[in-house]
Amino acid sequence: MPVLSPSVSPSSSRQNNRHNRTRSFPAAISQVISRQLHNSTSAKKSSKHADHSKEDAGMHSPAAATEQQGSLTEQKSAPRDLSIALTTGLCMCCLSSLRYPVSILCFRCTVCQTTNDVTALPSKPGPTIASEYVDDLVSTEYVTEDAYKNVEDRIMAVFQSFDGLSNSFSNGKKLTYSETSLDFGQISKFYKFVLCSSQQLMRLVLKSSEILLKRPGRIIASPSDLKFLLIILENPVLYSARSSPSSGHQSTILKRLFGLISSLNVNCHHYLVNWFARLPTDSFRAKVELINSFTTHRLAKYCSSRSGGAKIETYGADWRIRAAARTLSLFFAANIQVLKVPTSSFYNTLVDYIDITHDFDIWEKQGISSVVGPVSRTPNFSGLSHTTSGNPHPPTSHGLHNPVKTTSAAPSSMASSLSHDNPSPSNSAVTPSNFTTFTFCQYPFYLSMGSKITILEYDARRQMEIKAREAFFSTLNYKRIVQPHLVLKVRRNCIIEDSLRQISSNEMELKKGLKIEFVGEDGVDAGGLRKEWFLLLVRDMFDPLNGMFVYDEESNYCWFNHSTFETSDQYFLVGVVLGLAIYNSTILDIHLPPALFKKLLGCHCTMEDLMLLKPSLARGLQQLLDYEGNVEETFCRDFVAEHEVYGSIVQVPLIPGGENKSVTNANRGEFVNKYIQFIFDVSVTRQFQPFKRGFYHVIGGNALTLFRPEEIELLVRGSDEGLDVAALRAVAVYDGWGHSNNAKISIHEIEEAEPVINWFWEFFANMDTSAQRRLLTFVTGSDRIPATGIANLIFKISKLGEDSERYLIF
């Protein structure tokens, strides 16, 4: 029986018509089987009516008739073997798991319609676009139709050929981690020429790019295969405000471009991250905005005013959103490596309107099930750090963010860690069982601070409800009264001791709602007493006279006192207080450096962190690194660190025998790294570990892992952006004003009817910045505004009664 494969053709035919040798493989299999059944059961009928068929056709020669009869005889004598060997593979664009016959050379994905070549198409010599050709294009005026037709033919031939486009725009340099070997100046000049020439020429470029992306002709497995993707990504029409992602070729090109980039193997992603990190800031920002715009375009299809936001059941299966998220994660990793744009540039505002808490629930269920199940083979890597050699650091975490089991322990890896699916056949590819429903919590850089705080408050409220429910059932079962809230009764003059004692005796109750009672004082805690407790407690704990923390006079940041005599319980209390502040949405007036929040999330501290904490020391170490002379003779340093202990200088070896090892030009990098590690890790281990344990004892849920270190700092300390009095006035709340005959009047009418309110705001606006901050501290308990902006600041002005003739007595 002859082999029937819809995707196999003679080599000559395959070269002549590369696009007609592939069909959707499920239809191909059914056609193969149906043809075999038809030929097997109707062989005799075909033999009897051969002459009649020949006359009806009117075009068959006697030789053709003889060949047909011989074929029928062969089919008649062949055994009826309907089994076809099938195999499973992943689409190179959308990562759909597909089954296709082993014998075919390529197959078409039924999800994204991408043609996947199992065996690469043979390379054919063809035209390219070199720098000299681009210069000729720009300098020559094409006045004749034939000359213009030659340009069109050249562009179409190059942009429809993998080899032609990959070998174009070369700058002659060798491809490395830091060099793409592409001349982006010539690429930009070429696209400008096409854009200024005619719309028809640009449509030709777009159409040709779409054809190539639909069928690259090979598996993209090496860094040299990535150049054609980078060239297409530079097309300015994709970024044009007039060409939205929903228009024509742009949408098709973007979805296939992101699909191919997101499905690359880990090695290719390493190269892309390093290349993206070296892009100019404007180009980097434009690409981030492009991917976000495409995500918004896709997500908007699932959002409607009736449903109140997109549900995960609708967007969770969209491979285009998943591909865009994976691609954006590469730019996010590059931004960690070299800061190009603020983290907020990755936020997508439309994500704020989806059902984010349901998204979080699905993410938790999927992540926890994957933790307790078989170990995933999905490779991980994190933001690759820049090195002078041009090679990236070994992979640790990048791309897909997975939750951990809910526990009071801190996560072992960076909280904003991302792991990435790798579909490449050349590496250990992800299997279909690794795929889960897409959630935005897998890619937390999409989530704004508002969305993350919503998730955090939802998680806190859920855990508080669990504790309150446990207290209720404990009351019923054991017939004892259990408070649904954590109530701390403290004395003002012993606030640290009382707080530590009661927190230690109620460690399992810390996730309940917090209420404060000051001994000997009447009052109901509606939030004000809790804020005052935080304010007084933090002021005492971070007082330099207590010796728990030391302050740097130049940076005004405080750090753990490694020579303190305080017990670890005191630092455990500090960690609990920070956790309770986040848990209860309270801003603290503390001066902890960004390095602390990086350490809480498992990140390593660098020279930049030391520059913020101890600027003088950091500048001295940087001078040591930059010195061009003989370091050993000039600096006369050994591998020891110096620090002050109660007025005297103490030297601590950075390595065993460090006091006998000199710092030289060859080992000065190691010395600086050991010194930084000593400042941030070694010297404060005894203080930081209980602090970290106390923090995660309160806030150790999966919601916190969605945050970056700088976002955790915003949660704890608030934002130090300038105070906008007009914006604060717009969100102010008036209580007890403007009631006449039980009728409420508008805020505008209140401000017009009550001159004292206008006086207050005029006085507030005329104060200097420091006085405005002090007044804000008096009203809200902190001189900073919330992480989500001044619009979420609660500023209430209450009227407690009618005017009185009595004056205040001080």
Side-chain angles (χ1 to χ4, degrees):
M1 181 179 66
V3 177
L4 300 176
S5 174
S7 298
V8 177
S9 59
S11 59
S12 60
S13 175
R14 182 169 63 250
Q15 294 177 4
N16 292 333
N17 190 359
R18 60 178 290 190
H19 297 293
N20 292 331
R21 71 186 184 97
T22 304
R23 297 178 187 174
S24 179
F25 68 87
I29 297 174
S30 63
Q31 290 178 13
V32 170
I33 297 176
S34 63
R35 287 177 183 175
Q36 291 177 349
L37 289 174
H38 175 74
N39 292 334
S40 177
T41 56
S42 62
K44 293 183 179 180
K45 295 181 180 180
S46 300
S47 178
K48 286 182 180 181
H49 299 288
D51 295 335
H52 182 66
S53 300
K54 178 179 66 175
E55 293 176 358
D56 291 341
M59 300 182 348
H60 292 168
S61 64
T66 304
E67 182 180 355
Q68 182 181 12
Q69 291 177 359
S71 176
L72 293 174
T73 304
E74 180 184 358
Q75 292 183 6
K76 180 177 179 181
S77 60
R80 294 181 57 186
D81 184 10
L82 303 182
S83 61
I84 298 177
L86 301 177
T87 186
T88 302
L90 298 178
C91 174
M92 66 188 303
C93 181
C94 66
L95 291 181
S96 298
S97 178
L98 307 168
R99 290 179 62 81
Y100 57 92
V102 176
S103 58
I104 67 175
L105 299 181
C106 64
F107 61 88
R108 181 182 299 156
C109 175
T110 55
V111 177
C112 66
Q113 302 302 314
T114 299
T115 300
N116 295 259
D117 287 274
V118 180
T119 302
L121 293 176
S123 299
K124 296 184 296 183
T128 61
I129 298 178
S131 298
E132 295 78 9
Y133 183 75
V134 175
D135 294 334
D136 291 340
L137 284 178
V138 175
S139 59
T140 305
E141 293 186 4
Y142 297 92
V143 294
T144 65
E145 184 177 349
D146 291 339
Y148 195 79
K149 185 66 169 58
N150 292 334
V151 174
E152 287 185 336
D153 293 342
R154 179 75 168 267
I155 290 176
M156 183 172 62
V158 170
F159 273 82
Q160 290 187 14
S161 169
F162 176 89
D163 294 315
L165 190 56
S166 296
N167 294 325
S168 298
F169 306 106
S170 174
N171 61 7
K173 298 180 181 179
K174 182 181 178 181
L175 188 146
T176 63
Y177 276 111
S178 58
E179 176 58 55
T180 62
S181 75
L182 291 175
D183 190 338
F184 286 97
Q186 292 297 326
I187 295 174
S188 176
K189 186 185 296 185
F190 168 78
Y191 279 124
K192 286 181 179 179
F193 162 77
V194 174
L195 201 59
C196 297
S197 296
S198 67
Q199 292 184 357
Q200 179 182 351
L201 197 59
M202 178 53 75
R203 283 196 296 267
L204 180 64
V205 171
L206 294 174
K207 182 61 178 177
S208 300
S209 301
E210 180 183 341
I211 292 174
L212 178 58
L213 291 171
K214 191 173 183 179
R215 186 179 186 182
R218 68 190 64 198
I219 296 173
I220 306 173
S222 66
S224 60
D225 296 337
L226 305 176
K227 291 189 286 186
F228 85 102
L229 297 174
L230 298 179
I231 294 173
I232 296 176
L233 188 59
E234 291 299 314
N235 193 327
V237 173
L238 301 178
Y239 304 85
S240 175
R242 295 174 296 176
S243 304
S244 65
S246 59
S247 58
H249 296 297
Q250 287 86 339
S251 177
T252 304
I253 289 175
L254 288 176
K255 72 180 182 182
R256 298 193 181 282
L257 192 60
F258 298 153
L260 293 175
I261 291 176
S262 66
S263 304
L264 297 170
N265 59 55
V266 171
N267 185 45
C268 289
H269 281 163
H270 275 281
Y271 276 86
L272 284 176
V273 167
N274 279 271
W275 291 343
F276 291 157
R278 289 162 176 80
L279 287 173
T281 301
D282 292 340
S283 176
F284 186 93
R285 182 183 292 107
K287 290 174 175 57
V288 170
E289 293 175 353
L290 175 67
I291 303 173
N292 249 324
S293 176
F294 179 80
T295 304
T296 301
H297 158 64
R298 292 302 310 172
L299 191 58
K301 294 180 177 293
Y302 306 107
C303 293
S304 64
S305 57
R306 294 181 180 179
S307 61
K311 305 293 183 183
I312 192 172
E313 289 80 9
T314 58
Y315 66 79
D318 192 329
W319 68 268
R320 302 164 190 83
I321 296 180
R322 185 193 295 266
R326 288 196 182 113
T327 305
L328 190 58
S329 70
L330 298 176
F331 284 90
F332 187 74
N335 197 58
I336 295 176
Q337 177 179 333
V338 179
L339 185 63
K340 297 286 186 179
V341 294
T343 303
S344 58
S345 298
F346 292 86
Y347 295 162
N348 190 294
T349 54
L350 193 59
V351 177
D352 293 343
Y353 296 94
I354 69 173
D355 189 354
I356 194 64
T357 56
H358 184 48
D359 187 283
F360 174 72
D361 288 336
I362 297 298
W363 170 71
E364 268 197 320
K365 292 176 182 177
Q366 290 181 162
I368 292 175
S369 63
S370 67
V371 171
V372 299
V375 178
S376 172
R377 292 167 48 196
T378 305
N380 302 304
F381 65 96
S382 91
L384 307 176
S385 300
H386 171 71
T387 57
T388 55
S389 62
N391 296 325
H393 283 192
T396 53
S397 63
H398 172 81
L400 181 72
H401 177 62
N402 295 318
V404 296
K405 289 184 178 180
T406 303
T407 174
S408 60
S412 58
S413 62
M414 177 179 171
S416 60
S417 65
L418 309 159
S419 91
H420 204 79
D421 300 334
N422 168 31
S424 169
S426 62
N427 294 316
S428 56
V430 286
T431 59
S433 60
N434 292 127
F435 293 113
T436 56
T437 301
F438 170 83
T439 64
F440 281 102
C441 289
Q442 293 170 332
Y443 302 90
F445 48 77
Y446 269 123
L447 307 180
S448 66
M449 282 296 294
S451 293
K452 292 178 180 179
I453 291 175
T454 298
I455 294 174
L456 188 65
E457 291 176 347
Y458 165 75
D459 189 41
R461 185 169 59 252
R462 183 178 58 180
Q463 296 187 46
M464 288 180 182
E465 290 173 354
I466 292 174
K467 290 298 181 182
R469 192 181 303 115
E470 290 175 355
F472 173 74
F473 284 111
S474 177
T475 302
L476 296 179
N477 295 333
Y478 299 100
K479 297 181 179 179
R480 63 183 181 188
I481 299 177
V482 179
Q483 291 286 348
H485 298 89
L486 173 61
V487 180
L488 300 182
K489 300 179 180 180
V490 297
R491 295 168 294 175
R492 289 183 180 271
N493 57 345
C494 301
I495 192 168
I496 293 182
E497 293 79 2
D498 290 351
S499 300
L500 177 60
R501 184 181 67 256
Q502 295 186 57
I503 286 176
S504 300
S505 60
N506 293 280
E507 286 190 12
M508 304 307 297
E509 310 293 324
L510 295 179
K511 291 187 177 181
K512 292 182 179 180
L514 179 64
K515 288 186 178 295
I516 300 298
E517 292 182 8
F518 287 101
V519 176
E521 300 180 18
D522 295 331
V524 177
D525 189 3
L529 295 179
R530 183 179 62 209
K531 284 188 176 181
E532 185 179 6
W533 175 76
F534 275 117
L535 182 66
L536 297 176
L537 185 61
V538 166
R539 184 180 299 169
D540 282 359
M541 288 190 303
F542 286 87
D543 190 340
L545 297 178
N546 283 338
M548 295 178 63
F549 295 90
V550 292
Y551 283 79
D552 185 270
E553 294 181 356
E554 187 175 0
S555 67
N556 201 31
Y557 280 125
C558 65
W559 191 242
F560 299 99
N561 184 0
H562 48 76
S563 303
T564 184
F565 296 108
E566 299 291 341
T567 63
S568 60
D569 292 340
Q570 299 279 0
Y571 291 99
F572 177 83
L573 174 62
V574 178
V576 168
V577 169
L578 261 66
L580 287 174
I582 294 177
Y583 215 68
N584 292 272
S585 304
T586 302
I587 297 176
L588 299 181
D589 183 21
I590 57 177
H591 297 275
L592 292 170
L596 176 71
F597 303 98
K598 293 180 67 173
K599 283 176 62 64
L600 280 174
L601 297 182
C603 304
H604 294 292
C605 298
T606 62
M607 176 69 80
E608 289 77 12
D609 299 303
L610 185 63
M611 187 68 72
L612 292 174
L613 178 61
K614 297 178 178 293
S616 298
L617 176 61
R619 286 194 295 267
L621 293 176
Q622 189 62 50
Q623 290 175 1
L624 178 68
L625 291 175
D626 298 337
Y627 187 68
E628 297 180 355
N630 191 310
V631 171
E632 183 177 6
E633 294 180 355
T634 304
F635 289 88
C636 301
R637 296 286 312 208
D638 297 326
F639 268 72
V640 295
E642 298 177 350
H643 62 94
E644 183 179 348
V645 178
Y646 299 108
S648 60
I649 302 299
V650 177
Q651 293 186 340
V652 179
L654 297 176
I655 58 175
E659 64 275 10
N660 299 320
K661 182 177 180 179
S662 299
V663 178
T664 65
N665 292 66
N667 61 21
R668 58 183 172 180
E670 179 188 3
F671 169 76
V672 171
N673 290 334
K674 291 291 185 181
Y675 211 119
I676 295 174
Q677 184 180 5
F678 172 79
I679 295 294
F680 289 112
D681 298 325
V682 178
S683 64
V684 296
T685 299
R686 185 174 66 88
Q687 293 79 22
F688 177 74
Q689 289 304 321
F691 167 82
K692 181 180 180 180
R693 189 175 68 253
F695 181 82
Y696 277 99
H697 186 78
V698 179
I699 202 78
N702 284 316
L704 189 69
T705 65
L706 301 174
F707 289 82
R708 294 276 305 154
E710 59 270 19
E711 294 172 333
I712 296 292
E713 183 180 6
L714 278 177
L715 280 180
V716 175
R717 301 187 59 201
S719 174
D720 60 351
E721 65 181 67
L723 190 60
D724 188 345
V725 177
L728 183 61
R729 182 173 184 174
V731 299
V733 177
Y734 301 101
D735 183 26
W737 301 82
H739 290 272
S740 178
N741 297 325
N742 297 326
K744 246 185 175 181
I745 61 177
S746 65
I747 294 177
H748 180 69
E749 292 174 333
I750 292 175
E751 292 183 347
E752 286 186 348
E754 301 289 346
V756 66
I757 293 179
N758 292 318
W759 297 340
F760 169 77
W761 288 115
E762 290 175 3
F763 176 75
F764 196 1
N766 293 328
M767 298 171 95
D768 58 40
T769 303
S770 60
Q772 287 179 346
R773 292 287 180 181
R774 290 196 299 271
L775 179 59
L776 188 65
T777 303
F778 173 76
V779 177
T780 66
S782 174
D783 64 347
R784 294 188 169 216
I785 63 177
T788 51
I790 201 169
N792 295 288
L793 181 65
I794 300 176
F795 196 94
K796 181 184 291 187
I797 301 177
S798 301
K799 183 179 181 181
L800 302 181
E802 297 299 327
D803 291 340
S804 175
E805 298 297 332
R806 293 181 298 174
Y807 293 95
L808 295 175
I809 300 177
F810 295 94

